[in-house]
Each structure stands twice: as structure tokens, then as C-alpha cells.
Amino acid sequence: MNRFLKLPLLFDPDELLKDLRACETMEWSRHFHTDDYSGLWSGLALRSASGKADDIYSHPGSAGYIDTPVLGLCPYIASILGLFECEIESTRLLRLAPGAHIKEHRDVHTGYQFDVFRVHIPIETSTQVRFLVGGHALDMREGECWYADFSQPHSVENCGATARTNLILDCKRNDWSDTLFRQVGYDFAAEARSSRLDRATRTMVIAQLSEMKTDTAERLIKQLEAEADIDE
């Protein structure tokens, strides 16, 4: 049930597109996970850990995120950020070119149960974009706002003739977001039941978190190791 949720926020597609067009002449960086996709997948940072527009790595849990100069070109997107009553970490425009394919993978740190959440706001898309999360199709339209648990296996394929560009926000969970998620049916009881991982999955998650070297990752590692001690 918590695989993905349409949040009760709707934005003006024309204003989003206007901001996007203001960024078209800038240099977009190829996505850093080069083994995870074929074709062209590129991005531009509006907020990043370094304050640089070409720093499209999400750096989850890093202390301090800075607006990049690109955000100054996007007044409507800046107003959207002001509506989120929680800490916003990275903010990116990510574009998947026609014919490009993001292979199935997991982002183990990006689920609400990890106290962080990633939302997608499509700016340009089509019915030919195939987005799967946990084996289920996620159909997003321009201006909508969606949460998905990207710690589950997910993939995207752009089978259309035009680019798919989404605004993507990484946010920290708080009381405001709990209220928002409760409004759209997030199952907090299911979250509690599924919070305990099996031994193999726990080992895999700890290994991936160890590579991140952030305060949030260290906290999650300690939590998982404590669960392992209880289970044993």
C-alpha cells in the first residue's frame, strides 16, 4: 500500500514548463550512475550540497543544502519549495531522453520508513513513459506530485518521441509530512510491521549505507545493527 502515493498538491504545468525553458541553454550533467541506464539521462541541480548546478548527486543526509544559481531562474519552482513545510535536501531537474531506459535498481535510502522521502513532479512527460515501482505501473501527469518508495525495485523507460523531465525533491520526514501522508492513506501500521528486515536484506542495506558516509546513513546502520542483535 505504501509503494507510491499521489500527494494532495497540484501545480501549474504551464508555469513549470516556463521555468524549465529558462534552463534549456544551461549545461545538463549526465547522471552519475552510468551502469544503471542506457541512452541519455541528465540533470540540473536547483539545490545541492555544494551549491553547484552540476552537482546532481543527492547526498542523502548531508548537512546543509544550498540553492544553486539555477533556482534564481525558476521563480515558480522556488514558490513550490516554499510550500513544503519540511527540510528540503537536493532539488533537481532530471531528464530522460526519448528511447532512454533506466534499468531496474533500488535506492535503499529513499523510502519514508527511512525518514526521508523523494517526490516527483512531472514537467514534461507522455503516456509512452513506463515507470515501474515494485512491479507496479506509476502513471504521473504534468503538475501532479507523487511520492514513491524508491528503496523498492524501480525502472523507467521512455518509449515516446519527446523527453521526460521531472522536478525531484528529496525531503526529510517530520510532523507536517506525516500529516500530509496520512491524508492520502499512507499505512503507518504497515510501515511498523515491515520495518524489520530479513538478515540477507539487512546485510545488503548496511553495506550500501556504509558507502554513503553521512550522519543519516550512520544512524540507520546503528539501528539495523541493533535489530540484528535482537534477532540473534
Side-chain angles (χ1 to χ4, degrees), residues 94-111:
L94 290 184
R95 169 172 286 168
L96 193 65
H101 177 211
I102 303 172
K103 303 171 187 176
E104 184 175 275
H105 65 287
R106 294 173 181 257
D107 300 321
V108 297
H109 55 282
T110 48

Side-chain angles (χ1 to χ4, degrees), residues 21-229:
R21 295 295 176 246
C23 304
E24 294 286 8
T25 59
M26 303 195 70
E27 184 175 352
W28 291 52
S29 301
R30 291 186 69 96
H31 200 281
F32 45 89
H33 284 312
T34 54
D35 292 336
D36 287 347
Y37 64 93
S38 60
L40 180 59
W41 185 21
S42 58
L44 198 61
L46 283 69
R47 282 178 59 80
S48 69
S50 64
K52 297 179 180 179
D54 61 355
D55 180 8
I56 62 171
Y57 185 59
S58 58
H59 301 286
S62 295
Y65 277 75
I66 307 169
D67 294 348
T68 75
V70 178
L71 188 60
L73 302 175
C74 304
Y76 186 66
I77 291 175
S79 72
I80 289 174
L81 301 190
L83 297 176
F84 282 75
E85 299 176 31
C86 60
E87 184 175 344
I88 298 175
E89 298 187 324
S90 70
T91 301
R92 300 170 292 169
L93 295 168
L94 290 184
R95 169 172 286 168
L96 193 65
H101 177 211
I102 303 172
K103 303 171 187 176
E104 184 175 275
H105 65 287
R106 294 173 181 257
D107 300 321
V108 297
H109 55 282
T110 48
Y112 203 64
Q113 66 273 28
F114 297 107
D115 293 336
V116 294
F117 62 101
R118 177 168 293 168
V119 297
H120 278 240
I121 301 171
I123 299 178
E124 50 183 6
T125 188
S126 76
T127 57
Q128 299 302 307
V129 173
R130 299 174 182 172
F131 200 144
L132 296 178
V133 179
H136 293 256
L138 172 53
D139 182 23
M140 299 185 287
R141 300 293 93 207
E142 289 93 341
E144 295 177 346
C145 184
W146 286 83
Y147 157 79
D149 179 1
F150 292 110
S151 69
Q152 297 190 28
H154 58 281
S155 62
V156 190
E157 186 172 8
N158 186 359
C159 301
T162 57
R164 184 225 69 168
T165 307
N166 285 3
L167 172 64
I168 299 173
L169 282 61
D170 285 350
C171 307
K172 287 191 175 181
R173 176 177 179 169
N174 65 4
D175 290 342
W176 172 82
S177 63
D178 277 355
T179 299
L180 185 72
F181 275 51
R182 189 173 291 110
Q183 289 176 12
V184 292
Y186 185 84
D187 191 337
F188 289 89
E191 177 190 290
R193 290 193 300 270
S194 64
S195 63
R196 300 291 288 273
L197 302 176
D198 62 75
R199 182 177 300 178
T201 302
R202 185 188 294 124
T203 300
M204 178 195 71
V205 171
I206 288 175
Q208 294 188 21
L209 288 171
S210 297
E211 296 177 359
M212 296 177 187
K213 303 185 186 306
T214 66
D215 292 341
T216 298
E218 289 298 323
R219 178 174 56 79
L220 291 171
I221 288 171
K222 290 180 180 179
Q223 178 181 325
L224 291 170
E225 289 175 340
E227 289 182 5
D229 291 340

